[in-house]
Amino acid sequence: MPIQQSFRKKIFYYFIFVFIIFTVAILLFQLNREKQYKTAQLENTLENVAEITHNYIEHYQLLGNDNFRKADTLKSLIPKKNIRITVIDKKGAVLYDSFVDEFGAMGNHLQRPEIQKALYSESGSNIRHSETTKQDFYYYARNYNTYFVRTAMVYDIEAKNFLKANRFFIFFIIAIFLIIWLIINEVTKRLSLSITKLKDFAIKAGKNKPIDSNIDFPDNELGEIGAQIVKIYTKLQKAKDNIAQEKERLFNHMNILNEGISFFKPHREKMLANSHFIQFVSIISDTSTISAEHVFNIPEFKKVNDFLNENLSDKSEFQSNHLPQIEFTINKNERYFKVLCIIFADKSFEILITDITRPEKRRLLKQQLTSNIAHELKTPLASIKGYIETLMRTPDIDREKQHYFIERAYAQTERLNLLLNDISLLNNIEDAGELFEIKLVKIRKTVADAIENFSARLSEKNIKYKLNIGDDVVVNGNDSLLSSVFQNLIENSIKYAGAHIKIEISNYLEDKKFHYFSYSDTGVGIPEEHLSRIFERFYRIDAGRTREMGGTGLGLSIVKNAILLHKGKISVHNKTGGGIEFLFTLSKK
Ligand code: ADP
């Protein structure tokens, strides 16, 4: 793998570099020590030779009698042959030189560095290239009372020679180098394996690629670190995935809610809002908006703003089991919205808007209905109470009158019974429609039965009827409810339309889904201004008169609700020739 190699190569180069520097430093140090040692040795030899020469000159009293040639015998006395001996007088003139035959012709030597040094401090030395012999020489001079003795030797302390002499040392260094390299190689191999795997992992993680959580790291500290990192990363990744999933679930859930919901950060910045929230904010503000934060600019939400201002200050603190919340209702354009705002412990908050138009309208309707029912029940109850009280107060009332009162009271109980039946029927249609068994109904028979029930009253009022429904017309519905529909319509004609009229019931059209029916009479009809309201509960055109007729004001309500339960529709109009006509549909399936 290239990464692994480059890593190991680098370590190798670093190692070689450090090793070479180290080796060279040791060699230089050794060389220097060697030089110092050899120089000291050299100087010692030269000093001895100078001393011997001095003693020789003194012993043979060579000075002053021009007999210096005799000094050549000195050469044989000295163990080393290549030592040059020069005797120089105090003025610098050469008195003798063992290497030069014509020493008398040699130049003045007073300015030679070793002589200069010896002049002031008894002895001096200097290394220099000799033009005469073309070699480096180590010169040593010693100051005696009347002359200088200078001795010199070839100076050949070179690194080359030193290295040659230290061959063993070099081999030793190379061997150590190889051994250390082998060890380093093994160590880096292990380290680089961990590093390589960690690097592979890091690259993959950086690119969000899938990661094998079971990467096999080598059994060392770096490997352990790697394994831990991968473990932590995998855990984090899992947690991240879970959060993303939860968030998506929450978001999906929020979007199928019927409520509008939005979460905000403490500074009223939106975090999450569902589409219903935006929709409701638009309806309430009467402007189309796509921003949930727009809610804070709507006058209807002033209470929310005030509530937030009060509770979101830096000072306010609250526990999670006692979160501040506000709830109120907004009524806008015939629609009702319940608004709930809750502030959480971290000062983020939630606004929940629920469309309560339907339940609210229902509630108002129910309220009205209850008071209507109470009112309707009061009248017959009051008369019953009146009759019974009269009977109780006047026990000696004659039998005929007694009978009359009892009969009237009974009639009122009948009326109560009728009223309660109608109320309960309506309630059942509205709230428990599923209780009515739905099956295929041959509608002609249902209508014919209803007419049959009223046959006496029909002929009493001289009302004719015509039934235009085929035997095979079948609708999908509840037999008894459908029967109620036709009974109510027929009874209304008998009660309100007048005598000598004609009723016509026909099935005038059908399509894929519906049968279309018409119910009409040729009676007095209904004044136009009342038409739009006659399906309302307890709505009567002439309350006093209808009550007398035994009407509860619920008949047409029952008709309409029963047809709605059958997924049909109903409308009413006055016919041009007089009389009323109801048009309605009933579903086939
Ligand atoms: P009820 O149950 O008291 O008969 P309905 O709801 O059936 O009440 O009828 C409401 C009103 O419509 C009645 O008070 C009556 O005045 C009027 N009405 C209903 N049917 C007819 C009709 N065929 N001809 C004239 N008026 C009618």
Side-chain angles (χ1 to χ4, degrees), residues 422 488-498 519 521 523-527 534-543 545-547 550-559 579-580 582:
D422 277 359
N488 269 303
L489 290 174
I490 295 165
E491 198 179 1
N492 277 354
S493 291
I494 297 169
K495 284 194 293 195
Y496 313 115
Y519 175 95
D521 65 33
V524 295
I526 297 174
I534 55 160
F535 292 114
E536 285 175 20
R537 285 152 221 238
F538 299 112
Y539 189 81
R540 303 175 181 94
I541 287 145
D542 178 346
R545 205 172 76 90
T546 38
R547 268 204 200 99
T552 57
L554 293 175
L556 287 179
S557 254
I558 292 171
V559 169
I580 194 100
F582 293 91

mmCIF file of all heavy atoms in Angstrom, residues 422 488-498 519 521 523-527 534-543 545-547 550-559 579-580 582, ligand 1:
data_model
loop_
_atom_site.group_PDB
_atom_site.id
_atom_site.type_symbol
_atom_site.label_atom_id
_atom_site.label_comp_id
_atom_site.label_asym_id
_atom_site.label_seq_id
_atom_site.Cartn_x
_atom_site.Cartn_y
_atom_site.Cartn_z
ATOM 1 N N ASP A 422 -89.247 11.495 17.802
ATOM 2 C CA ASP A 422 -88.573 12.229 16.722
ATOM 3 C C ASP A 422 -87.168 12.655 17.136
ATOM 4 O O ASP A 422 -86.207 12.518 16.373
ATOM 5 C CB ASP A 422 -89.391 13.460 16.322
ATOM 6 C CG ASP A 422 -90.504 13.084 15.342
ATOM 7 O OD1 ASP A 422 -90.582 11.874 15.009
ATOM 8 O OD2 ASP A 422 -91.264 13.966 14.910
ATOM 9 N N ASN A 488 -93.184 11.109 6.556
ATOM 10 C CA ASN A 488 -93.146 12.521 6.947
ATOM 11 C C ASN A 488 -93.653 13.421 5.836
ATOM 12 O O ASN A 488 -94.408 14.360 6.081
ATOM 13 C CB ASN A 488 -91.729 12.927 7.328
ATOM 14 C CG ASN A 488 -91.478 12.731 8.813
ATOM 15 O OD1 ASN A 488 -92.186 13.283 9.653
ATOM 16 N ND2 ASN A 488 -90.495 11.897 9.130
ATOM 17 N N LEU A 489 -93.204 13.121 4.584
ATOM 18 C CA LEU A 489 -93.621 13.967 3.456
ATOM 19 C C LEU A 489 -95.138 13.871 3.257
ATOM 20 O O LEU A 489 -95.834 14.886 3.085
ATOM 21 C CB LEU A 489 -92.876 13.540 2.178
ATOM 22 C CG LEU A 489 -91.365 13.859 2.171
ATOM 23 C CD1 LEU A 489 -90.692 13.262 0.936
ATOM 24 C CD2 LEU A 489 -91.129 15.373 2.230
ATOM 25 N N ILE A 490 -95.682 12.635 3.301
ATOM 26 C CA ILE A 490 -97.112 12.435 3.073
ATOM 27 C C ILE A 490 -97.935 13.079 4.203
ATOM 28 O O ILE A 490 -98.891 13.813 3.960
ATOM 29 C CB ILE A 490 -97.438 10.921 2.974
ATOM 30 C CG1 ILE A 490 -96.753 10.305 1.740
ATOM 31 C CG2 ILE A 490 -98.950 10.689 2.888
ATOM 32 C CD1 ILE A 490 -96.714 8.789 1.751
ATOM 33 N N GLU A 491 -97.443 12.876 5.431
ATOM 34 C CA GLU A 491 -98.170 13.440 6.572
ATOM 35 C C GLU A 491 -98.214 14.969 6.497
ATOM 36 O O GLU A 491 -99.235 15.602 6.816
ATOM 37 C CB GLU A 491 -97.541 12.983 7.873
ATOM 38 C CG GLU A 491 -98.510 13.174 9.049
ATOM 39 C CD GLU A 491 -97.947 12.718 10.373
ATOM 40 O OE1 GLU A 491 -96.775 12.254 10.411
ATOM 41 O OE2 GLU A 491 -98.669 12.824 11.374
ATOM 42 N N ASN A 492 -97.042 15.575 6.062
ATOM 43 C CA ASN A 492 -97.006 17.032 5.909
ATOM 44 C C ASN A 492 -98.057 17.511 4.915
ATOM 45 O O ASN A 492 -98.744 18.508 5.144
ATOM 46 C CB ASN A 492 -95.631 17.504 5.444
ATOM 47 C CG ASN A 492 -94.667 17.638 6.620
ATOM 48 O OD1 ASN A 492 -95.090 17.474 7.768
ATOM 49 N ND2 ASN A 492 -93.414 17.923 6.326
ATOM 50 N N SER A 493 -98.178 16.776 3.781
ATOM 51 C CA SER A 493 -99.174 17.165 2.782
ATOM 52 C C SER A 493 -100.571 17.099 3.383
ATOM 53 O O SER A 493 -101.400 17.983 3.191
ATOM 54 C CB SER A 493 -99.107 16.233 1.559
ATOM 55 O OG SER A 493 -97.894 16.461 0.869
ATOM 56 N N ILE A 494 -100.800 16.019 4.152
ATOM 57 C CA ILE A 494 -102.126 15.870 4.770
ATOM 58 C C ILE A 494 -102.369 17.012 5.745
ATOM 59 O O ILE A 494 -103.437 17.621 5.778
ATOM 60 C CB ILE A 494 -102.243 14.511 5.500
ATOM 61 C CG1 ILE A 494 -102.104 13.343 4.521
ATOM 62 C CG2 ILE A 494 -103.560 14.415 6.272
ATOM 63 C CD1 ILE A 494 -101.955 11.982 5.169
ATOM 64 N N LYS A 495 -101.303 17.317 6.543
ATOM 65 C CA LYS A 495 -101.475 18.309 7.597
ATOM 66 C C LYS A 495 -101.580 19.722 7.054
ATOM 67 O O LYS A 495 -102.383 20.528 7.512
ATOM 68 C CB LYS A 495 -100.312 18.238 8.591
ATOM 69 C CG LYS A 495 -100.402 17.056 9.553
ATOM 70 C CD LYS A 495 -99.441 17.189 10.731
ATOM 71 C CE LYS A 495 -98.003 17.089 10.254
ATOM 72 N NZ LYS A 495 -97.063 16.857 11.373
ATOM 73 N N TYR A 496 -100.664 20.081 6.115
ATOM 74 C CA TYR A 496 -100.525 21.501 5.779
ATOM 75 C C TYR A 496 -100.996 21.909 4.384
ATOM 76 O O TYR A 496 -101.236 23.078 4.147
ATOM 77 C CB TYR A 496 -99.063 21.947 5.929
ATOM 78 C CG TYR A 496 -98.408 21.515 7.215
ATOM 79 C CD1 TYR A 496 -97.357 20.630 7.226
ATOM 80 C CD2 TYR A 496 -98.893 22.024 8.430
ATOM 81 C CE1 TYR A 496 -96.766 20.233 8.404
ATOM 82 C CE2 TYR A 496 -98.299 21.626 9.617
ATOM 83 C CZ TYR A 496 -97.235 20.736 9.604
ATOM 84 O OH TYR A 496 -96.664 20.351 10.770
ATOM 85 N N ALA A 497 -101.065 20.942 3.437
ATOM 86 C CA ALA A 497 -101.284 21.362 2.034
ATOM 87 C C ALA A 497 -102.754 21.699 1.746
ATOM 88 O O ALA A 497 -103.045 22.453 0.823
ATOM 89 C CB ALA A 497 -100.793 20.262 1.104
ATOM 90 N N GLY A 498 -103.655 21.161 2.536
ATOM 91 C CA GLY A 498 -105.063 21.451 2.298
ATOM 92 C C GLY A 498 -105.788 20.241 1.719
ATOM 93 O O GLY A 498 -105.152 19.213 1.420
ATOM 94 N N TYR A 519 -91.090 14.332 -5.035
ATOM 95 C CA TYR A 519 -92.324 14.216 -4.232
ATOM 96 C C TYR A 519 -93.015 15.563 -4.335
ATOM 97 O O TYR A 519 -92.436 16.603 -4.018
ATOM 98 C CB TYR A 519 -92.008 13.910 -2.758
ATOM 99 C CG TYR A 519 -93.238 13.918 -1.898
ATOM 100 C CD1 TYR A 519 -93.930 12.725 -1.615
ATOM 101 C CD2 TYR A 519 -93.780 15.108 -1.405
ATOM 102 C CE1 TYR A 519 -95.093 12.735 -0.864
ATOM 103 C CE2 TYR A 519 -94.944 15.128 -0.663
ATOM 104 C CZ TYR A 519 -95.591 13.940 -0.396
ATOM 105 O OH TYR A 519 -96.749 13.949 0.339
ATOM 106 N N ASP A 521 -96.954 17.919 -4.076
ATOM 107 C CA ASP A 521 -98.411 17.969 -3.882
ATOM 108 C C ASP A 521 -98.931 19.222 -4.557
ATOM 109 O O ASP A 521 -98.140 20.079 -4.979
ATOM 110 C CB ASP A 521 -98.783 17.886 -2.394
ATOM 111 C CG ASP A 521 -98.310 19.071 -1.581
ATOM 112 O OD1 ASP A 521 -98.274 20.197 -2.126
ATOM 113 O OD2 ASP A 521 -97.940 18.879 -0.385
ATOM 114 N N GLY A 523 -100.885 21.420 -3.112
ATOM 115 C CA GLY A 523 -101.488 22.192 -2.025
ATOM 116 C C GLY A 523 -101.092 23.657 -2.034
ATOM 117 O O GLY A 523 -100.743 24.226 -3.082
ATOM 118 N N VAL A 524 -101.062 24.224 -0.795
ATOM 119 C CA VAL A 524 -100.839 25.675 -0.669
ATOM 120 C C VAL A 524 -99.385 26.091 -0.861
ATOM 121 O O VAL A 524 -99.081 27.275 -1.063
ATOM 122 C CB VAL A 524 -101.318 26.176 0.719
ATOM 123 C CG1 VAL A 524 -102.826 26.017 0.865
ATOM 124 C CG2 VAL A 524 -100.590 25.436 1.844
ATOM 125 N N GLY A 525 -98.476 25.134 -0.752
ATOM 126 C CA GLY A 525 -97.050 25.481 -0.894
ATOM 127 C C GLY A 525 -96.519 26.197 0.343
ATOM 128 O O GLY A 525 -97.209 26.323 1.352
ATOM 129 N N ILE A 526 -95.273 26.623 0.256
ATOM 130 C CA ILE A 526 -94.636 27.270 1.412
ATOM 131 C C ILE A 526 -94.143 28.653 0.972
ATOM 132 O O ILE A 526 -93.480 28.759 -0.072
ATOM 133 C CB ILE A 526 -93.437 26.434 1.911
ATOM 134 C CG1 ILE A 526 -93.915 25.062 2.402
ATOM 135 C CG2 ILE A 526 -92.663 27.142 3.028
ATOM 136 C CD1 ILE A 526 -92.818 24.102 2.778
ATOM 137 N N PRO A 527 -94.454 29.716 1.735
ATOM 138 C CA PRO A 527 -93.975 31.044 1.355
ATOM 139 C C PRO A 527 -92.444 31.024 1.119
ATOM 140 O O PRO A 527 -91.702 30.430 1.907
ATOM 141 C CB PRO A 527 -94.329 31.906 2.561
ATOM 142 C CG PRO A 527 -95.430 31.180 3.260
ATOM 143 C CD PRO A 527 -95.229 29.731 2.983
ATOM 144 N N ILE A 534 -86.808 25.562 6.115
ATOM 145 C CA ILE A 534 -87.760 24.558 6.609
ATOM 146 C C ILE A 534 -87.121 23.226 7.000
ATOM 147 O O ILE A 534 -87.752 22.422 7.675
ATOM 148 C CB ILE A 534 -88.915 24.266 5.597
ATOM 149 C CG1 ILE A 534 -88.332 23.867 4.243
ATOM 150 C CG2 ILE A 534 -89.877 25.420 5.481
ATOM 151 C CD1 ILE A 534 -89.368 23.134 3.428
ATOM 152 N N PHE A 535 -85.822 23.017 6.595
ATOM 153 C CA PHE A 535 -85.177 21.760 7.016
ATOM 154 C C PHE A 535 -84.547 21.876 8.422
ATOM 155 O O PHE A 535 -84.052 20.903 8.970
ATOM 156 C CB PHE A 535 -84.105 21.338 6.014
ATOM 157 C CG PHE A 535 -84.679 20.920 4.684
ATOM 158 C CD1 PHE A 535 -84.438 21.655 3.528
ATOM 159 C CD2 PHE A 535 -85.463 19.771 4.589
ATOM 160 C CE1 PHE A 535 -84.963 21.258 2.312
ATOM 161 C CE2 PHE A 535 -85.988 19.380 3.358
ATOM 162 C CZ PHE A 535 -85.759 20.133 2.212
ATOM 163 N N GLU A 536 -84.575 23.116 8.967
ATOM 164 C CA GLU A 536 -83.985 23.282 10.305
ATOM 165 C C GLU A 536 -84.878 22.645 11.361
ATOM 166 O O GLU A 536 -86.094 22.607 11.223
ATOM 167 C CB GLU A 536 -83.842 24.778 10.638
ATOM 168 C CG GLU A 536 -82.710 25.435 9.907
ATOM 169 C CD GLU A 536 -82.672 26.939 10.152
ATOM 170 O OE1 GLU A 536 -83.260 27.395 11.163
ATOM 171 O OE2 GLU A 536 -82.081 27.641 9.319
ATOM 172 N N ARG A 537 -84.247 22.198 12.436
ATOM 173 C CA ARG A 537 -85.008 21.599 13.527
ATOM 174 C C ARG A 537 -85.926 22.635 14.175
ATOM 175 O O ARG A 537 -85.515 23.759 14.404
ATOM 176 C CB ARG A 537 -84.064 21.111 14.620
ATOM 177 C CG ARG A 537 -83.346 19.871 14.260
ATOM 178 C CD ARG A 537 -82.049 19.898 15.008
ATOM 179 N NE ARG A 537 -81.018 19.424 14.109
ATOM 180 C CZ ARG A 537 -80.265 18.381 14.391
ATOM 181 N NH1 ARG A 537 -80.403 17.782 15.539
ATOM 182 N NH2 ARG A 537 -79.367 17.978 13.539
ATOM 183 N N PHE A 538 -87.094 22.199 14.460
ATOM 184 C CA PHE A 538 -88.111 23.011 15.147
ATOM 185 C C PHE A 538 -88.525 24.254 14.381
ATOM 186 O O PHE A 538 -89.132 25.155 14.928
ATOM 187 C CB PHE A 538 -87.641 23.415 16.562
ATOM 188 C CG PHE A 538 -87.378 22.249 17.466
ATOM 189 C CD1 PHE A 538 -86.099 21.947 17.891
ATOM 190 C CD2 PHE A 538 -88.434 21.429 17.862
ATOM 191 C CE1 PHE A 538 -85.858 20.863 18.710
ATOM 192 C CE2 PHE A 538 -88.192 20.338 18.690
ATOM 193 C CZ PHE A 538 -86.918 20.050 19.108
ATOM 194 N N TYR A 539 -88.143 24.309 13.103
ATOM 195 C CA TYR A 539 -88.571 25.481 12.337
ATOM 196 C C TYR A 539 -89.986 25.238 11.806
ATOM 197 O O TYR A 539 -90.265 24.250 11.142
ATOM 198 C CB TYR A 539 -87.613 25.769 11.174
ATOM 199 C CG TYR A 539 -87.913 27.097 10.509
ATOM 200 C CD1 TYR A 539 -87.451 28.294 11.068
ATOM 201 C CD2 TYR A 539 -88.709 27.171 9.362
ATOM 202 C CE1 TYR A 539 -87.757 29.512 10.504
ATOM 203 C CE2 TYR A 539 -89.014 28.388 8.795
ATOM 204 C CZ TYR A 539 -88.538 29.568 9.372
ATOM 205 O OH TYR A 539 -88.857 30.767 8.803
ATOM 206 N N ARG A 540 -90.892 26.164 12.148
ATOM 207 C CA ARG A 540 -92.276 26.041 11.671
ATOM 208 C C ARG A 540 -92.685 27.364 11.068
ATOM 209 O O ARG A 540 -92.180 28.421 11.451
ATOM 210 C CB ARG A 540 -93.221 25.714 12.817
ATOM 211 C CG ARG A 540 -92.856 24.453 13.577
ATOM 212 C CD ARG A 540 -93.806 24.332 14.734
ATOM 213 N NE ARG A 540 -93.534 23.161 15.540
ATOM 214 C CZ ARG A 540 -92.775 23.187 16.620
ATOM 215 N NH1 ARG A 540 -92.198 24.324 16.995
ATOM 216 N NH2 ARG A 540 -92.605 22.093 17.321
ATOM 217 N N ILE A 541 -93.599 27.259 10.119
ATOM 218 C CA ILE A 541 -94.040 28.493 9.470
ATOM 219 C C ILE A 541 -95.031 29.224 10.370
ATOM 220 O O ILE A 541 -94.923 30.397 10.618
ATOM 221 C CB ILE A 541 -94.616 28.190 8.083
ATOM 222 C CG1 ILE A 541 -93.413 27.850 7.175
ATOM 223 C CG2 ILE A 541 -95.363 29.385 7.493
ATOM 224 C CD1 ILE A 541 -93.694 26.825 6.173
ATOM 225 N N ASP A 542 -95.950 28.489 10.902
ATOM 226 C CA ASP A 542 -96.898 29.091 11.830
ATOM 227 C C ASP A 542 -96.922 28.177 13.047
ATOM 228 O O ASP A 542 -97.619 27.156 13.070
ATOM 229 C CB ASP A 542 -98.285 29.156 11.157
ATOM 230 C CG ASP A 542 -99.338 29.725 12.101
ATOM 231 O OD1 ASP A 542 -99.055 29.808 13.313
ATOM 232 O OD2 ASP A 542 -100.422 30.069 11.607
ATOM 233 N N ALA A 543 -96.126 28.545 14.055
ATOM 234 C CA ALA A 543 -95.876 27.639 15.176
ATOM 235 C C ALA A 543 -97.173 27.175 15.838
ATOM 236 O O ALA A 543 -97.375 25.972 16.045
ATOM 237 C CB ALA A 543 -94.971 28.312 16.194
ATOM 238 N N ARG A 545 -100.263 27.091 14.771
ATOM 239 C CA ARG A 545 -101.121 26.248 13.951
ATOM 240 C C ARG A 545 -100.547 24.841 13.801
ATOM 241 O O ARG A 545 -101.255 23.840 13.916
ATOM 242 C CB ARG A 545 -101.299 26.880 12.565
ATOM 243 C CG ARG A 545 -102.585 26.445 11.860
ATOM 244 C CD ARG A 545 -102.777 27.258 10.597
ATOM 245 N NE ARG A 545 -101.879 26.785 9.544
ATOM 246 C CZ ARG A 545 -102.209 25.836 8.676
ATOM 247 N NH1 ARG A 545 -103.362 25.232 8.752
ATOM 248 N NH2 ARG A 545 -101.368 25.476 7.739
ATOM 249 N N THR A 546 -99.200 24.777 13.548
ATOM 250 C CA THR A 546 -98.598 23.444 13.333
ATOM 251 C C THR A 546 -98.670 22.596 14.592
ATOM 252 O O THR A 546 -98.809 21.391 14.535
ATOM 253 C CB THR A 546 -97.145 23.532 12.842
ATOM 254 O OG1 THR A 546 -96.501 24.607 13.493
ATOM 255 C CG2 THR A 546 -97.080 23.709 11.357
ATOM 256 N N ARG A 547 -98.505 23.281 15.760
ATOM 257 C CA ARG A 547 -98.585 22.510 17.010
ATOM 258 C C ARG A 547 -99.971 21.865 17.130
ATOM 259 O O ARG A 547 -100.102 20.716 17.522
ATOM 260 C CB ARG A 547 -98.296 23.404 18.207
ATOM 261 C CG ARG A 547 -96.844 23.366 18.543
ATOM 262 C CD ARG A 547 -96.547 23.709 19.966
ATOM 263 N NE ARG A 547 -95.136 24.108 20.013
ATOM 264 C CZ ARG A 547 -94.741 25.361 20.007
ATOM 265 N NH1 ARG A 547 -95.633 26.339 20.013
ATOM 266 N NH2 ARG A 547 -93.477 25.618 20.024
ATOM 267 N N GLY A 550 -100.347 18.834 15.506
ATOM 268 C CA GLY A 550 -99.552 17.718 16.053
ATOM 269 C C GLY A 550 -98.144 17.686 15.501
ATOM 270 O O GLY A 550 -97.424 16.710 15.686
ATOM 271 N N GLY A 551 -97.724 18.741 14.808
ATOM 272 C CA GLY A 551 -96.355 18.762 14.244
ATOM 273 C C GLY A 551 -95.325 19.081 15.311
ATOM 274 O O GLY A 551 -95.582 19.819 16.247
ATOM 275 N N THR A 552 -94.131 18.442 15.152
ATOM 276 C CA THR A 552 -93.059 18.689 16.124
ATOM 277 C C THR A 552 -92.030 19.676 15.580
ATOM 278 O O THR A 552 -91.147 20.130 16.295
ATOM 279 C CB THR A 552 -92.318 17.379 16.436
ATOM 280 O OG1 THR A 552 -91.825 16.847 15.202
ATOM 281 C CG2 THR A 552 -93.222 16.379 17.097
ATOM 282 N N GLY A 553 -92.142 19.997 14.284
ATOM 283 C CA GLY A 553 -91.114 20.868 13.671
ATOM 284 C C GLY A 553 -89.851 20.090 13.353
ATOM 285 O O GLY A 553 -88.835 20.655 12.962
ATOM 286 N N LEU A 554 -89.906 18.778 13.519
ATOM 287 C CA LEU A 554 -88.708 17.968 13.269
ATOM 288 C C LEU A 554 -88.829 17.123 11.999
ATOM 289 O O LEU A 554 -87.838 16.562 11.530
ATOM 290 C CB LEU A 554 -88.452 17.033 14.453
ATOM 291 C CG LEU A 554 -88.050 17.721 15.760
ATOM 292 C CD1 LEU A 554 -87.952 16.707 16.890
ATOM 293 C CD2 LEU A 554 -86.715 18.437 15.591
ATOM 294 N N GLY A 555 -90.056 17.046 11.446
ATOM 295 C CA GLY A 555 -90.311 16.143 10.320
ATOM 296 C C GLY A 555 -89.342 16.318 9.164
ATOM 297 O O GLY A 555 -88.669 15.353 8.750
ATOM 298 N N LEU A 556 -89.237 17.532 8.630
ATOM 299 C CA LEU A 556 -88.368 17.741 7.463
ATOM 300 C C LEU A 556 -86.878 17.604 7.828
ATOM 301 O O LEU A 556 -86.069 17.234 6.984
ATOM 302 C CB LEU A 556 -88.656 19.090 6.814
ATOM 303 C CG LEU A 556 -89.984 19.135 6.033
ATOM 304 C CD1 LEU A 556 -90.212 20.521 5.436
ATOM 305 C CD2 LEU A 556 -89.995 18.087 4.914
ATOM 306 N N SER A 557 -86.542 17.878 9.103
ATOM 307 C CA SER A 557 -85.157 17.654 9.567
ATOM 308 C C SER A 557 -84.813 16.186 9.472
ATOM 309 O O SER A 557 -83.721 15.809 9.032
ATOM 310 C CB SER A 557 -85.048 18.043 11.033
ATOM 311 O OG SER A 557 -84.384 19.232 11.166
ATOM 312 N N ILE A 558 -85.785 15.360 9.893
ATOM 313 C CA ILE A 558 -85.571 13.917 9.811
ATOM 314 C C ILE A 558 -85.409 13.500 8.358
ATOM 315 O O ILE A 558 -84.498 12.733 8.000
ATOM 316 C CB ILE A 558 -86.737 13.158 10.489
ATOM 317 C CG1 ILE A 558 -86.692 13.412 12.005
ATOM 318 C CG2 ILE A 558 -86.679 11.664 10.192
ATOM 319 C CD1 ILE A 558 -87.897 12.898 12.765
ATOM 320 N N VAL A 559 -86.292 14.054 7.484
ATOM 321 C CA VAL A 559 -86.225 13.722 6.049
ATOM 322 C C VAL A 559 -84.843 14.038 5.500
ATOM 323 O O VAL A 559 -84.172 13.204 4.884
ATOM 324 C CB VAL A 559 -87.309 14.502 5.254
ATOM 325 C CG1 VAL A 559 -87.088 14.372 3.752
ATOM 326 C CG2 VAL A 559 -88.698 14.001 5.640
ATOM 327 N N GLY A 579 -98.477 24.460 -4.960
ATOM 328 C CA GLY A 579 -98.003 23.233 -4.309
ATOM 329 C C GLY A 579 -96.496 23.216 -4.181
ATOM 330 O O GLY A 579 -95.796 24.088 -4.694
ATOM 331 N N ILE A 580 -96.042 22.192 -3.496
ATOM 332 C CA ILE A 580 -94.613 22.125 -3.181
ATOM 333 C C ILE A 580 -94.004 20.901 -3.842
ATOM 334 O O ILE A 580 -94.697 19.908 -4.075
ATOM 335 C CB ILE A 580 -94.444 22.081 -1.643
ATOM 336 C CG1 ILE A 580 -93.009 22.359 -1.224
ATOM 337 C CG2 ILE A 580 -94.876 20.755 -1.047
ATOM 338 C CD1 ILE A 580 -92.875 23.777 -0.785
ATOM 339 N N PHE A 582 -90.438 18.390 -3.603
ATOM 340 C CA PHE A 582 -89.125 18.024 -3.057
ATOM 341 C C PHE A 582 -88.431 17.149 -4.083
ATOM 342 O O PHE A 582 -88.998 16.184 -4.582
ATOM 343 C CB PHE A 582 -89.287 17.219 -1.762
ATOM 344 C CG PHE A 582 -89.877 18.013 -0.625
ATOM 345 C CD1 PHE A 582 -91.248 18.052 -0.422
ATOM 346 C CD2 PHE A 582 -89.055 18.733 0.232
ATOM 347 C CE1 PHE A 582 -91.788 18.775 0.620
ATOM 348 C CE2 PHE A 582 -89.602 19.464 1.284
ATOM 349 C CZ PHE A 582 -90.972 19.502 1.490
HETATM 350 P P1 ADP B 1 -93.591 19.150 11.491
HETATM 351 O O1 ADP B 1 -92.808 17.941 11.927
HETATM 352 O O2 ADP B 1 -94.023 19.956 12.615
HETATM 353 O O3 ADP B 1 -94.608 18.816 10.494
HETATM 354 P P2 ADP B 1 -91.838 19.885 9.392
HETATM 355 O O4 ADP B 1 -90.385 20.109 9.594
HETATM 356 O O5 ADP B 1 -92.209 18.608 8.763
HETATM 357 O O6 ADP B 1 -92.567 20.111 10.748
HETATM 358 O O7 ADP B 1 -92.411 21.056 8.494
HETATM 359 C C1 ADP B 1 -91.992 22.373 8.714
HETATM 360 C C2 ADP B 1 -92.992 23.345 8.209
HETATM 361 O O8 ADP B 1 -93.112 23.285 6.787
HETATM 362 C C3 ADP B 1 -94.356 23.051 8.708
HETATM 363 O O9 ADP B 1 -94.584 23.840 9.848
HETATM 364 C C4 ADP B 1 -95.270 23.463 7.592
HETATM 365 O O10 ADP B 1 -95.737 24.756 7.817
HETATM 366 C C5 ADP B 1 -94.410 23.476 6.360
HETATM 367 N N1 ADP B 1 -94.763 22.389 5.434
HETATM 368 C C6 ADP B 1 -94.229 21.179 5.397
HETATM 369 N N2 ADP B 1 -94.721 20.428 4.389
HETATM 370 C C7 ADP B 1 -95.609 21.208 3.764
HETATM 371 C C8 ADP B 1 -96.449 21.018 2.630
HETATM 372 N N3 ADP B 1 -96.504 19.848 1.932
HETATM 373 N N4 ADP B 1 -97.259 22.042 2.248
HETATM 374 C C9 ADP B 1 -97.222 23.190 2.925
HETATM 375 N N5 ADP B 1 -96.447 23.441 4.008
HETATM 376 C C10 ADP B 1 -95.636 22.450 4.415
#
